[in-house]
Amino acid sequence: MDVTTSAGTSAANAPWLIVGLGNPGPEYAMNRHNVGFMVADLLAGRIGGKFKRAGKAQAQVLEGRLGAPGPASRRVILAKPMSFMNLSGGPVNALRDFYKVPVANILAVHDELDIDYGVLRLKLGGGDNGHNGLKSMTKAMGADYHRVRFGIGRPPGRMQVADFVLKDFSSAERKELDYFVDRAADAVEALVAEGLERAQSSYNS
């Protein structure tokens, strides 16, 4: 049975809202905390479009389709909140309302401290594990949205978590970063096209 939104749109027919989490501004562009933006930018390149400011929502968006051409492709809205990480929920909720997207069709791409660098974990719902972007999204609309969790590992030594996530990827990490971001974008496409379980079997390595 399809999940139906309050507006009467079934989740099977509704678009997907894919949210890359990060902080706006060039000084944050290569931070570990901005890997969600990196994945969203790569997906925008695959769609063949450019992000534009979204009306009243404090976000950049791009509408398009992901997947092979034909009936299997899915309509998606890519989004990058421009509100800074800890206020991501407001822009995402505004886009959810505007595009009539059920929470089950929202997918957040974000950095994850408790997973080794480059490892992916796909899931539906759950806690925020101290991630301020997820915390804000969950406060705004509940926790029942999908996540693609991109492992960044724990900070070395006694480095504070806040300092670690707001630093650029190291030179050693950058050697594989493009590959891992590409794989995360593949995981997003698989989840949207094939569903969570099949995507998990391929990417929850």
Side-chain angles (χ1 to χ4, degrees), residues 14-86:
W16 278 79
L17 175 57
I18 299 168
V19 181
L21 292 178
N23 287 309
E27 66 270 35
Y28 300 105
M30 291 304 297
N31 287 181
R32 295 181 177 92
H33 223 18
N34 269 44
V35 72
F37 274 18
M38 297 175 197
V39 175
D41 287 338
L42 181 57
L43 288 168
R46 293 183 182 185
I47 289 174
K50 293 183 178 180
F51 283 100
K52 297 180 180 178
R53 196 79 179 193
K56 295 180 180 179
Q58 199 173 358
Q60 291 184 354
V61 299
L62 169 62
E63 296 181 59
R65 302 191 75 87
L66 281 177
S73 69
R74 294 299 302 266
R75 181 182 170 222
V76 300
I77 299 99
L78 294 179
K80 297 191 296 184
M82 294 286 111
S83 56
F84 288 95
M85 184 70 83
N86 62 351

Side-chain angles (χ1 to χ4, degrees), residues 70-141:
S73 69
R74 294 299 302 266
R75 181 182 170 222
V76 300
I77 299 99
L78 294 179
K80 297 191 296 184
M82 294 286 111
S83 56
F84 288 95
M85 184 70 83
N86 62 351
L87 298 174
S88 299
V92 175
N93 206 33
L95 293 172
R96 175 182 74 90
D97 288 343
F98 181 80
Y99 288 104
K100 307 278 193 296
V101 179
V103 174
N105 278 30
I106 296 174
L107 193 167
V109 185
H110 64 92
D111 57 302
E112 180 61 60
L113 286 161
D114 288 336
I115 302 175
D116 290 340
Y117 174 59
V119 174
L120 300 177
R121 292 287 185 271
L122 283 57
K123 64 181 288 190
L124 172 63
D128 57 59
N129 200 27
H131 192 288
N132 287 332
L134 298 182
K135 189 178 298 183
S136 180
M137 285 180 61
T138 296
K139 183 178 180 181
M141 59 193 182

Side-chain angles (χ1 to χ4, degrees), residues 125-180:
D128 57 59
N129 200 27
H131 192 288
N132 287 332
L134 298 182
K135 189 178 298 183
S136 180
M137 285 180 61
T138 296
K139 183 178 180 181
M141 59 193 182
D144 294 331
Y145 52 91
H146 289 82
R147 300 104 187 270
V148 170
R149 306 159 71 203
F150 186 108
I152 61 171
R154 301 293 303 184
R158 296 184 179 182
M159 183 184 290
Q160 295 295 310
V161 165
D163 293 333
F164 179 69
V165 299
L166 292 176
K167 284 189 178 296
D168 290 357
F169 285 100
S170 70
S171 56
E173 289 170 332
R174 285 198 297 270
K175 292 177 181 177
E176 295 183 291
L177 182 59
D178 287 348
Y179 168 76
F180 288 140

